[in-house]
């Protein structure tokens, strides 16, 4: 798999972002976030992050329905987070911590990967805890069941691969998801219209993810040069698929959410289609993936025509 290039003698040595982890990580330093009652005038999710709410057929719904859709969007986000952390990120960081990825990494990075395992398990746990509290206060259960789009897409991509290289898909999907900056983690911590417990939970998560972003950017810088040409091409053409899997609106989840309206199925599909024009989806994905795309550019990923073509085809390069 690897080209045999020794990349630990990087001119840019690894500098840990975790030196103050004991004092600053949410698992060590932040309290449990509690939701005991509904806060008057606060929302469960920012409406701007739920484009279907601006569709004329949804706008005319009663305020109670709109509030319910915002609540359901929060549940979709929390389920997404729990699946992402428990089923993809933590297994990958465990492999990194046990030096089972096939890549040579500095010892300090290995030690940091244990801290990420701990952080991510805590993120899943506090997301589930918040979800249980939200259900208890609102008496409304999550309407969306079943796995999120990113998980079914990742599995479909892996099914097409030789079993020997499937672990690389999980590893580089993790690099992608840990270096993207979503509107949720970036925006909600500052948004005081959002319920305090939700805002603070997401703020705790975002702060930890800042350190993870730095780690996984460096991980990519160490790992990518260690891939031989064949594996670079294989992984490189999968990278845009992973960006799309992570960022593309989850149509099944939106469809299930919109069952809270009295719209029939055909209208629901129309609302979703009109709320997410392709140009907007692609522009939003490029914005959220900007740091990740710069990371790939710096490391020469786009020098291969086959790889840059796959980014173009997926609407991530213009
Ligand atoms: Fe996380
Ligand atoms: Fe993370």
């Amino acid at each position: 798999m690897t080209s045999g290039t020794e990349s630990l003698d990087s001119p840019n040595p690894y500098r840990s972002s975790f030196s103050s982890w004991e004092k600053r990580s949410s698992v060590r330093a932040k309290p449990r976030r509690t939701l005991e009652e509904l806060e008057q005038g606060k929302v469960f999710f920012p409406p701007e992050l739920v484009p279907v709410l601006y569709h004329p057929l949804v706008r005319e719904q009663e305020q109670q329905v709109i509030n319910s859709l915002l609540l359901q969007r929060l549940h979709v986000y929390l389920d997404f987070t729990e699946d992402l952390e428990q089923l993809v990120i933590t297994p990958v960081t465990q492999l990194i911590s046990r030096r089972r990825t096939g890549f040579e990494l500095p010892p300090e990075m290995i030690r940091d990967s244990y801290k990420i395992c701990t952080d991510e398990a805590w993120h899943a746990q506090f997301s589930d805890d918040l979800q249980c509290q939200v259900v208890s206060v609102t008496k409304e259960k999550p309407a969306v069941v079943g796995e999120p789009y990113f998980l079914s897409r990742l599995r479909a991509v892996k099914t097409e691969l030789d079993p020997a290289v499937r672990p690389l898909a999980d590893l580089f999907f993790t690099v992608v998801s840990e270096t993207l900056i979503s509107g949720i983690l970036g925006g909600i911590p500052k948004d005081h219209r959002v319920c305090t417990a939700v805002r603070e939970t997401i703020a705790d998560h975002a702060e930890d993810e800042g350190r993870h972003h730095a780690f996984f950017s460096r991980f990519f810088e160490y790992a990518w040069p260690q891939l031989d040409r064949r594996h670079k091409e294989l992984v490189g053409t999968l990278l845009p698929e992973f960006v799309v899997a992570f960022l593309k609106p989850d149509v099944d989840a939106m469809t299930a959410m919109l069952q809270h309206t009295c719209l029939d199925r055909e209208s629901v599909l129309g609302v979703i289609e009109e709320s997410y024009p392709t140009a907007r989806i692609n522009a939003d994905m490029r914005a959220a993936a900007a740091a990740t795309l710069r990371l790939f550019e710096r490391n020469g990923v786009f020098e291969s025509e086959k790889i840059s073509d796959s980014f173009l085809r997926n609407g991530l390069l213009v």
Side-chain angles (χ1 to χ4, degrees), residues 85 120 123 205 209:
E85 308 289 32
E120 304 294 27
H123 297 164
H205 195 165
E209 290 304 329

Side-chain angles (χ1 to χ4, degrees), residues 14-311:
Y14 181 67
R15 287 185 51 207
S16 175
S17 304
F18 292 79
S19 53
S20 55
W21 184 84
E22 298 287 348
K23 288 199 187 91
R24 299 187 57 189
S25 64
S26 62
V27 68
R28 286 275 193 270
K30 303 289 167 63
R32 176 178 180 240
R33 304 301 183 181
T34 53
L35 178 77
E36 274 149 19
E37 55 188 21
L38 290 175
E39 283 177 276
Q40 275 299 321
K42 301 253 179 183
V43 290
F44 279 109
F45 214 78
E48 297 78 13
L49 297 180
V50 194
V52 291
L53 293 186
Y54 295 87
H55 191 281
L57 291 179
V58 179
R59 280 184 102 116
E60 66 191 24
Q61 305 281 321
E62 287 182 16
Q63 191 57 42
Q64 195 191 345
V65 174
I66 304 289
N67 293 345
S68 211
L69 288 171
L70 289 170
L71 169 64
Q72 290 300 329
R73 183 62 187 86
L74 173 65
H75 280 305
V76 169
Y77 165 72
L78 292 171
D79 273 325
F80 174 104
T81 302
E82 290 150 34
D83 275 343
L84 177 69
E85 308 289 32
Q86 294 289 78
L87 303 180
V88 183
I89 311 294
T90 309
V92 164
T93 50
Q94 285 171 348
L95 288 175
I96 296 174
S97 72
R98 297 309 303 140
R99 299 178 188 272
R100 299 281 207 280
T101 61
F103 294 107
E104 279 211 57
L105 298 169
E108 204 176 0
M109 263 190 116
I110 300 294
R111 286 196 295 277
D112 285 346
S113 68
Y114 278 97
K115 294 171 184 159
I116 301 178
C117 292
T118 304
D119 287 345
E120 304 294 27
W122 176 233
H123 297 164
Q125 186 181 334
F126 71 40
S127 299
D128 177 70
D129 182 19
L130 179 65
Q131 198 164 22
C132 292
Q133 295 181 67
V134 168
V135 170
S136 159
V137 166
T138 61
K139 316 284 182 236
E140 253 189 72
K141 289 193 172 158
V144 180
V145 286
E147 62 184 16
Y149 172 71
F150 84 85
L151 211 46
S152 45
R153 186 71 196 116
L154 176 60
R155 191 175 41 251
V157 167
K158 282 165 65 182
T159 307
E160 300 283 307
L161 299 175
D162 179 339
V165 294
R166 286 177 192 165
L168 280 179
D170 289 323
L171 193 52
F172 284 90
F173 177 88
T174 297
V175 170
V176 165
S177 68
E178 291 282 301
T179 54
L180 294 171
I181 299 168
S182 77
I184 295 172
L185 283 186
I188 292 181
K190 297 174 279 220
D191 191 340
H192 287 264
R193 296 170 306 166
V194 175
C195 286
T196 309
V198 172
R199 191 172 54 73
E200 289 177 341
T201 299
I202 294 175
D204 294 346
H205 195 165
E207 202 183 314
D208 289 340
E209 290 304 329
R211 285 181 280 277
H212 300 183
H213 179 107
F215 176 95
F216 277 98
S217 297
R218 294 297 281 135
F219 177 89
F220 186 82
E221 288 168 6
Y222 281 103
W224 181 255
Q226 293 182 50
L227 288 172
D228 62 25
R229 210 180 133 156
R230 187 169 72 85
H231 285 94
K232 269 194 179 126
E233 201 144 277
L234 174 83
V235 169
T237 51
L238 293 176
L239 293 172
E241 303 265 359
F242 296 153
V243 174
V244 172
F246 193 83
L247 293 175
K248 199 173 159 198
D250 187 335
V251 171
D252 287 347
M254 291 293 149
T255 308
M257 263 176 60
L258 286 167
Q259 281 166 359
H260 275 261
T261 61
C262 49
L263 299 171
D264 59 37
R265 189 172 166 78
E266 202 180 320
S267 305
V268 163
L269 294 177
V271 165
I272 294 170
E273 200 183 322
E274 288 162 30
S275 302
Y276 290 102
T278 305
R280 176 181 177 164
I281 294 176
N282 290 349
D284 287 352
M285 287 198 300
R286 284 195 298 274
T292 309
L293 295 172
R294 282 198 300 275
L295 171 69
F296 296 160
E297 166 105 71
R298 278 203 306 279
N299 286 275
V301 172
F302 304 136
E303 283 164 18
S304 151
E305 203 172 317
K306 195 171 169 194
I307 297 174
S308 58
D309 276 354
S310 65
F311 276 82

